[in-house]
Amino acid sequence: MLDASVSQTSESDVQQVDVVVVGAGFAGLYLIHRLRKAGFTAMGLESASDVGGTWYWNRYPGARCDIQTTDYSYTFDPELESAWKWSEKYATQPEILRYLGFVADRYDLRRDIRFGTQVEAATWDEAAQRWLLTTGNGTPVSCRYYIMASGCLSSPKPPEIAGVDDFKGEIYFTGRWPHEGVELAGKRVAIIGTGSSGIQATPMIADQAAHLTVFQRTPNFAYPAHNGPSPADRVAMLEKDRNDYREQARWSLVGVPLPRATDFSWQLTEAERRERFEKALAAGDLVVMLTQLWADQGVDAEGNALAADLIRERIRSIVKDPGTAEALTPRDHPFGSKRPCLETNYFATYNRANVTLVNLRQEPIERITGSGIKTDRRTIDVDVIVFATGFDAMTGAIMAVHPIAGRGGKSLSDVWANGPRTYLGLTVAGFPNLFMITGPGSPSVLSNMSVSIEQHADWVVDRLIEMRQAGFTTIEATETAQAGWTRHMADCSALTLHRLANTWYTGANVPGKAQGVMPYTGGVGPYRTICNDVVSRGMLGFKLNAPNGAEQCNDGEIVRLQPDVRLVLNMLADMNLPPLESLGAQGARAFVGEFNASRPAGRPVGEVVGGSLSGADGPLPYRLYRPATPGPHPMVVYFHGGGWVLGDEQSDDPFCRDMCRRTGMIFLSVGYRHAPEHRFPAAAEDGYAALRWIAEHAAELGGRPGPLLVAGWSAGGNIAAVTCQLARDRGGPEIAGQLLVCPVTDCTFDRPSYSDNATGYFLTRSLMYWFWDLYCSPADRTDPRVSPLRGKLEGLPPAFVATCEFDPLRDEGNAYAEALTAAGVPVEHLQARGHFHSSLTMVDVVITGANGRIQMAKALRRFAGLETGQDDGGVIQSRKVLSAEVSAAAE
Ligand code: N01
């Protein structure tokens, strides 16, 4: 099949090519096409006897794609797009295989592929700066670049059940289904596994078999595919402007151009939520159900549970036997944390007389015998066993080439012994010129694969072209870049619920496999931006070498911000907003008011009431947030942020609600006076006066008798810190603890964070200059009532100080925490990595800020003498419950 143009060195019997591509599925075919067009000699090595990859092997009854065919297609060639018409919304395996064959024919790809060829080992030849691949068929191959396009789900998992060899009947694996088909009519069939393969195969097998017994360990979330012709609305969207549709898909979150829901579950009524669910159900689309219900469904356990309950309800409504229905109802993992499935008659199949479900949670399989399957309660005799037990996903096919020996002979299996580490899911430090397509660390299986494959193949081939132009012949990720990517991966997965489920996404399905979320959970569009940024920042994190000794290495980490902070800052940058300080105080206030109106509404608390208290020079408005729990509650006097110029008692509403829920305490947000109308020391004196008034009226406000707590963010943190000093010096009231979030503590601007973070992180240095100028004359600035760092710190209440890495105020906050400690004040200091000035207060926008708020809430409870560790707000508490459930399920 190989083209004569692939050069051969007869002396050594080693074929020489520029690039070897392993795998001839979606990825391998496109790569060969692109490499050839770019003038590289490319050879495909494929263990199957033809093209197709996963669609070559997975021929079990019912096998179909679960991304709509409008989206599950190549998009690189408009002529190809118009030359092929899919017959259904979700094409069958034979049709998809025909499509891939059609593509191979159209671009004459087979001539560069050696079929029936398993790559057995790959060794980096340091002297030649090339890879040497040995294969199970034919001569070894030497290549400059070695690309693994071997698929994420192509290495079937061994059955792991004792006695398989004893079975006298027929055994089949869904992932290796015989090409000639299997005759099941009249037979007693067992199927083990209820993932996507099992759920697709079960109704089809039940139609044929005399009896089907389904052995289920974990029930899965599944909803109807509603297969048929492609839906008219989706086709219309595509046909209206194909390029635009494809482009939107490339920048979307999962590779399908559907906007995500932006309303949070608590903003919708139950009827509205049900309506959305029914609509998503009718769409028959995995992605619609996963992204279109409400904004918190994938990131928050409570929002997720609302969706999960509706899916569970549907199962109960279909399956007639209540015991079977319950057994089929998933309860041990959040919806979407494990790949959900599209089903066609799956649940209804359990109403058939010839179908039985065996719940392996109640009666585990002990072994397979000569005649069937023995559980700890009984033996079920069968003629056929179908293993739908899944794959050694994401790393299995890569590690099947063993060893892959990189620099210094290091084996990839050793390097990955504790789990895969990559840079961008594309490369591995220590393995020059090795690329993976949709490897671990890229969006891969959490995306529409065809979009991710094209992006990866394009990125790799474009780099090879650029290197050729620049004279470089090797490329290798640096350890720094890879470590940074690993950290970013962990930050991203902390945002989602994937880590709460035992799945093939985390390696949990393969005994002994290192565990951790393997796909990149940050989304397709953000990932594409990052890959492009790597290039525009001079191949950041890569070392390039040329044969003449030339070297280029621009080392560093591509993402240092928390993923959601990065998105927020990019969004703000795209808005191209005028600097706040250019708007004047009134204009800036109006702008902030408008900005606040567009943020998600805070979550419900027991009660929110407004009122008026006595400030230093007249009444001040306040807003009180009361928990839903019975009072009286400890009270926190809260000062909002806004540089002493902006904001009001309502402007930190989501933060106050969140902290009220997490602490179980009253938050009373004070509307102190603002500059320039009221300059220093108005805000400081209002803060202290408010504290006194609240202490005097605590009982009527529903507060617990005893010391108050104070808290504040930014300039509010400054007022909180000052208030503590004034209360100490002026004879009370007593304060049990202070929470200072990114506080202003000093009037100098020469600390490094003022230059490191001068611009680009929303709060800028020049904005801070402006705030200071409006509030305080230079002559007053060293007064501890505005620069508390310069005050006496002994005898202050215990403090929790939070500072953020990308904040101009970081270093003065750190300095205050250190100075308090030095003065003998008990201090807990949170230095939030990857966060910016607003991270901890932008509740439900910067989700990664929640961890900081959990710590803050615990500290406040401790200061108030309450138990910590409980009642930390719905989100995290229910995550804990889920984790506990998951580990219980695993036991
Ligand atoms: O594999 P799976 P799959 N004893 O790992 C059970 C894609 N795909 O082939 O969950 C008893 O999901 C296991 O139980 P548990 C899609 O991305 C797509 O079905 O580990 N049971 C589970 O029920 C999908 O997610 C399509 O407790 C055992 C099942 O076997 C991915 O491929 C179609 C067991 C395995 O489910 C994998 O799906 C098919 C044991 N020893 C697949 N070991 C489309 O529609 C495992 N199980 C495009």
Side-chain angles (χ1 to χ4, degrees), residues 60 64 157 193-197 200 217-218 338-339 388 390 504:
Y60 61 86
R64 290 176 186 273
K157 192 173 80 101
T194 51
S196 302
S197 305
Q200 285 183 335
R217 191 162 64 185
T218 309
K338 188 171 188 155
R339 174 97 172 189
W504 60 260

Side-chain angles (χ1 to χ4, degrees), residues 21 23-34 46 51-55 65 67-86 95-107 109 113 149 238 242-243 245-247 249-250 255 437-438 448-458 528:
V21 175
F26 253 101
L29 292 179
Y30 179 50
L31 271 166
I32 290 173
H33 171 66
R34 271 229 57 193
E46 166 59 61
V51 300
T54 197
W55 299 106
C65 58
I67 293 287
Q68 295 198 26
T69 44
T70 39
D71 304 278
Y72 193 64
S73 302
Y74 289 115
T75 66
F76 65 86
D77 180 354
E79 286 179 18
L80 169 64
E81 286 208 49
S82 39
W84 181 266
K85 286 274 167 291
W86 292 105
E95 186 174 8
I96 303 172
L97 192 58
R98 275 201 304 281
Y99 172 69
L100 293 171
F102 174 79
V103 171
D105 290 342
R106 186 177 176 93
Y107 303 102
L109 301 176
I113 302 169
L238 174 66
R242 219 168 243 271
N243 283 341
Y245 183 95
R246 298 298 186 209
E247 201 53 19
R250 292 181 186 119
I437 302 300
T438 63
N448 172 5
M449 279 301 234
S450 58
V451 167
S452 287
I453 283 170
E454 285 191 342
Q455 185 261 338
H456 261 193
D458 287 339
R528 180 179 290 263

Side-chain angles (χ1 to χ4, degrees), residues 379-399:
T379 297
I380 296 160
D381 288 341
V382 291
D383 306 307
V384 178
I385 300 178
V386 175
F387 284 96
T389 42
F391 300 88
D392 181 357
M394 307 215 64
T395 54
I398 298 173
M399 310 279 247

